[in-house]
Amino acid sequence: MPEQLQVLKALQTLDRERRELIQQREQLDEEQGRLQVEVDRVQAMVDSLTSAIEARQEERRELLGKLEHERGLASRAEGRLPQIKTQREYLAVLKEVDAAKKQIKELNDQVAAKDRDLEALTADKGEKDAELAALSEQTAARQAEISAVAVGLDAGLADHGRQRDSLTGRLPVALRKRYDMLLDRRNGLAVVEARDGACLGCHMHLPPQLFNRLYVAKEVQSCPHCNRLLYLAAE
Ligand SMILES: [Zn+2]
């Protein structure tokens, strides 16, 4: 077998391993992305519950302000009652007191409703906080594992890169380019065996003269159908 073919075969083995390493690396990146999306999703729920709670608290503070105002009105009106001389005025002030008390009751009901809302929201947020904490912890642990594997893969890829450079350095530029192009277009299979008169890349029959040339030629031969580079398996 021509020496160039030995180099090409070794290069292809290396490149196929490299493709797998790259795929594994991409899978890790994808997984990391998915984990982050999940954390972000729960974080968004926590954030939205936090805003809802803050809004209810603000509304509750406003209600308490109004309540204080109505209580002031009621107590001032009641305070005036003992000094009142006429029946008519007395009734008018009593009406004021009643109106204020009615308002107070309504406001108290509204505050109670806010409190129930707040209680439910706080319980929800408690659950989501716990979920987020557990998920963050789990995600951090998995991300640490992923990083460790990624470091290994990156080192492997760097090593492959160096081995690749040393192999491609032994090939003429034109052949190297042909190989790279085929590797790309033929889905990672650029160098294939020729057996029983056929190319095992595309399974088409090779012209007999070409098949015979494979035994003697010093230069690399390619399949006329798929252009892949051909070698004969060692006997
Ligand atoms: Zn072929």
Side-chain angles (χ1 to χ4, degrees), residues 192 199-204 206 223-228 230:
V192 294
C199 160
L200 293 193
C202 65
H203 302 284
M204 301 282 279
L206 298 167
C223 169
H225 309 292
C226 68
N227 292 318
R228 287 190 179 92
L230 298 168

Side-chain angles (χ1 to χ4, degrees), residues 12 14 21 23 35 43 61 65-66 71 78 87-88 104 115 124 172 199 208 228:
Q12 178 163 274
L14 192 70
L21 291 179
Q23 258 176 21
L35 290 172
Q43 178 71 62
R61 271 193 294 277
K66 286 183 191 165
R71 280 187 182 134
E78 277 175 330
Q87 175 79 358
R88 223 176 117 223
I104 288 167
D115 284 344
D124 275 0
C199 160
R228 287 190 179 92

Side-chain angles (χ1 to χ4, degrees), residues 10-172:
L11 189 57
Q12 178 163 274
T13 303
L14 192 70
D15 279 337
R16 291 173 75 83
E17 283 170 16
R18 193 177 163 77
R19 266 158 66 112
E20 259 184 42
L21 291 179
I22 290 171
Q23 258 176 21
Q24 287 172 25
R25 190 73 180 78
E26 283 168 357
Q27 278 166 4
L28 290 181
D29 284 345
E30 268 172 39
E31 188 186 344
Q32 218 150 13
R34 280 199 305 276
L35 290 172
Q36 194 55 51
V37 165
E38 188 54 17
V39 171
D40 290 349
R41 189 182 68 81
V42 180
Q43 178 71 62
M45 289 197 275
V46 168
D47 291 348
S48 128
L49 285 168
T50 304
S51 321
I53 288 171
E54 281 168 5
R56 295 295 180 288
Q57 282 169 338
E58 179 56 34
E59 289 157 12
R60 190 178 184 280
R61 271 193 294 277
E62 276 172 33
L63 288 172
L64 290 180
K66 286 183 191 165
L67 202 51
E68 207 186 317
H69 176 72
E70 290 297 332
R71 280 187 182 134
L73 287 182
S75 91
R76 278 193 300 281
E78 277 175 330
R80 286 197 334 259
L81 285 174
Q83 286 99 55
I84 289 170
K85 307 279 186 285
T86 72
Q87 175 79 358
R88 223 176 117 223
E89 205 187 335
Y90 191 83
L91 285 174
V93 174
L94 266 189
K95 219 174 147 190
E96 259 179 62
V97 172
D98 274 354
K101 283 190 171 164
K102 209 177 147 205
Q103 274 295 315
I104 288 167
K105 188 188 174 305
E106 253 174 48
L107 287 164
N108 269 326
D109 287 349
Q110 287 178 34
V111 170
K114 289 288 166 220
D115 284 344
R116 283 193 298 275
D117 266 11
L118 271 166
E119 202 182 319
L121 285 167
T122 306
D124 275 0
K125 185 173 176 293
E127 268 176 36
K128 289 293 159 203
D129 278 340
E131 190 184 328
L132 183 62
L135 186 65
S136 298
E137 193 182 326
Q138 206 182 312
T139 300
R142 179 63 190 142
Q143 271 172 341
E145 284 171 10
I146 289 176
S147 296
V149 178
V151 166
L153 286 174
D154 287 344
L157 280 167
D159 184 45
H160 269 74
R162 283 188 292 274
Q163 288 186 54
R164 192 175 201 280
D165 287 347
S166 105
L167 285 172
T168 52
R170 290 161 63 189
L171 294 173

